[in-house]
Amino acid sequence: MIPVILAGGKGERFWPLSRRSRPKQFLSLDGSGISLLQATANRLLAVAGGWDGLWVVTNAQIADGIKEQLPQLPEKNILIEPEGRDTAPAVAWAAIEIERREGPEAVVGFFPADHWIGDEEAYGKTLAAASQLATEKPAIVTLGIEPTEPSTGYGYIEQAEAVAPYQGLNAYRVSRFTEKPDRAKAEEFIATGRYTWNSGMFIFRAGVVIEELKTHAPEIFEPLAQKGVAAYADLPKKSIDYALMEKTQLAYVIPAAFGWDDLGDWNALERLLKGDRTNVELANHIGLDTSGAILYASSDDERIVTIGLEDIVIVRDRNVTLIVKKDRTQDIKQVLKQLENDPRFSSEL
């Protein structure tokens, strides 16, 4: 498999730690010192057969940072988008380039740069199963995460009929992709036993997805095929789910259980790190009557002192301190829009 890491996102809900020049994928959120991007690359090296087989799609603003983070990655394997157009153009451009270089039978996998994977052995087995399925069938294979709760934060994939197991794992044709549901609908989905979360990870042969893009997303494929990166300014902004996966008849899903989180906002740290502790502390913290807090400081010189607080996130980074209730972290994006409109705060973005 040729793994392609999608590394163009901003990760705005991890502000102020995540900023334009230092997006989420460059961060180490668990105190290990290894960034999310580096961890993603490291676990894909085995299926890539080394650095020469690994690709990254990113944007011009952070391309230099990608090279610093992954110095062993060949520069020819870094595709630099002049501007973000969501995942459909990124997938299409990479598929075109890989087919040109490696041929239409090359099996390609697409992986977001900012996921956490708990069981790397099970993850590798799942990728092997998906690769086998994509090799044997004209298939666009997605990895569906077995739900642990009726989450309203993820899209869902409904399974249709089963196909033969691959590497001992069940595989199904996809009945449909659905957008993020409300809680009642999510509970209904889980009760059927036929739904998984949409992980945003896809595996297919380059030639298969190119033919499907020609059919279902010609407004993206044709300009890229004709002009390459020069076409970007005129491309529509579409996700690969909307542009292709919701339309294709070649979608398959392998339900996966390898410990997964898409690290969408600061609350992810609690899911990963809290255990039986009162608070998640990635900072020098002195607390009195404080519980359910997530505390992060980017420097060991910083001190965070709390008194009588519950269910709160406090992040200290350089010249910014963020204090937000845990159930309002999704609103960080709204604050960033205010900062963008005020020239006094341009350095904080």
Side-chain angles (χ1 to χ4, degrees):
M1 184 194 299
I2 299 172
V4 181
I5 300 174
L6 298 170
K10 299 176 183 177
E12 291 178 326
R13 285 170 293 187
F14 275 94
W15 184 86
L17 194 61
S18 177
R19 307 203 192 189
R20 285 174 176 169
S21 60
R22 189 185 60 189
K24 179 173 67 168
Q25 56 267 32
F26 290 1
L27 305 179
S28 174
L29 296 171
D30 60 2
S32 68
I34 299 172
S35 74
L36 297 175
L37 173 64
Q38 290 166 336
T40 301
N42 289 342
R43 64 174 168 260
L44 290 171
L45 282 178
V47 295
W51 289 100
D52 285 346
L54 183 68
W55 290 51
V56 170
V57 182
T58 189
N59 64 64
Q61 193 168 24
I62 60 171
D64 288 342
I66 295 287
K67 296 170 186 176
E68 291 174 9
Q69 289 258 316
L70 305 176
Q72 294 163 287
L73 184 68
E75 203 159 322
K76 63 184 174 65
N77 289 6
I78 303 175
L79 299 183
I80 302 172
E81 299 178 298
E83 52 192 298
R85 283 290 185 259
D86 214 324
T87 52
V91 169
W93 185 28
I96 290 167
E97 291 298 318
I98 289 171
E99 185 193 45
R100 182 178 60 81
R101 201 183 299 181
E102 305 291 342
E105 296 303 304
V107 175
V108 188
F110 283 84
F111 306 93
D114 52 4
H115 287 180
W116 172 84
I117 303 295
D119 186 340
E120 295 199 7
E121 183 178 350
Y123 180 68
K125 182 178 180 181
T126 306
L127 294 187
S131 184
Q132 183 185 357
L133 173 52
T135 300
E136 295 183 4
K137 290 181 177 291
I140 300 175
V141 186
T142 184
L143 305 186
I145 306 300
E146 295 180 355
T148 57
E149 59 176 334
S151 173
T152 60
Y154 303 127
Y156 283 71
I157 304 168
E158 184 181 12
Q159 300 161 7
E161 69 273 15
V163 295
Y166 291 86
Q167 307 285 321
L169 298 179
N170 294 326
Y172 303 85
R173 293 191 71 98
V174 170
S175 175
R176 62 170 175 150
F177 289 81
T178 66
E179 300 298 327
K180 299 173 183 178
D182 59 28
R183 186 167 184 87
K185 183 62 70 173
E187 291 174 348
E188 180 184 318
F189 286 169
I190 289 179
T192 69
R194 298 195 311 272
Y195 285 83
T196 52
W197 291 335
N198 184 357
S199 71
M201 292 182 269
F202 306 97
I203 296 93
F204 44 71
R205 276 177 280 152
V208 169
V209 84
I210 282 174
E211 290 303 314
E212 288 297 281
L213 287 166
K214 286 179 182 177
T215 300
H216 299 293
E219 73 283 4
I220 292 173
F221 176 80
E222 296 299 340
L224 284 169
Q226 294 167 16
K227 301 179 185 177
V229 69
Y232 257 79
D234 300 319
L235 292 179
K237 199 170 185 178
K238 288 186 180 180
S239 70
I240 192 64
D241 286 338
Y242 180 74
L244 179 61
M245 298 308 296
E246 294 178 5
K247 301 172 183 176
T248 182
Q249 298 300 306
L250 301 181
Y252 292 76
V253 60
I254 295 178
F258 41 63
W260 173 88
D261 200 296
D262 75 340
L263 303 179
D265 61 25
W266 284 107
N267 288 305
L269 297 191
E270 186 169 71
R271 295 192 295 271
L272 299 185
L273 302 175
K274 186 175 183 181
D276 57 3
R277 292 181 292 177
T278 303
N279 302 299
V280 175
E281 300 179 352
L282 292 169
N284 292 313
H285 173 231
I286 300 167
L288 177 64
D289 297 330
T290 296
S291 63
I294 299 168
L295 306 119
Y296 189 104
S298 58
S299 170
D300 290 338
D301 295 333
E302 302 285 354
R303 304 288 186 271
I304 297 176
V305 180
T306 60
I307 301 172
L309 296 179
E310 295 181 3
D311 298 331
I312 201 164
V313 177
I314 301 176
V315 181
R316 175 67 184 163
D317 180 62
R318 291 181 282 181
N319 56 341
V320 176
T321 301
L322 169 72
I323 304 171
V324 59
K325 289 184 176 180
K326 288 195 297 192
D327 62 0
R328 295 291 300 277
T329 54
Q330 297 291 320
D331 294 335
I332 291 174
K333 282 190 169 186
Q334 294 185 33
V335 172
L336 292 182
K337 289 178 181 177
Q338 294 183 36
L339 297 183
E340 287 173 358
N341 294 326
D342 192 327
R344 292 177 300 165
F345 300 120
S346 59
S347 63
E348 276 79 61
L349 295 171

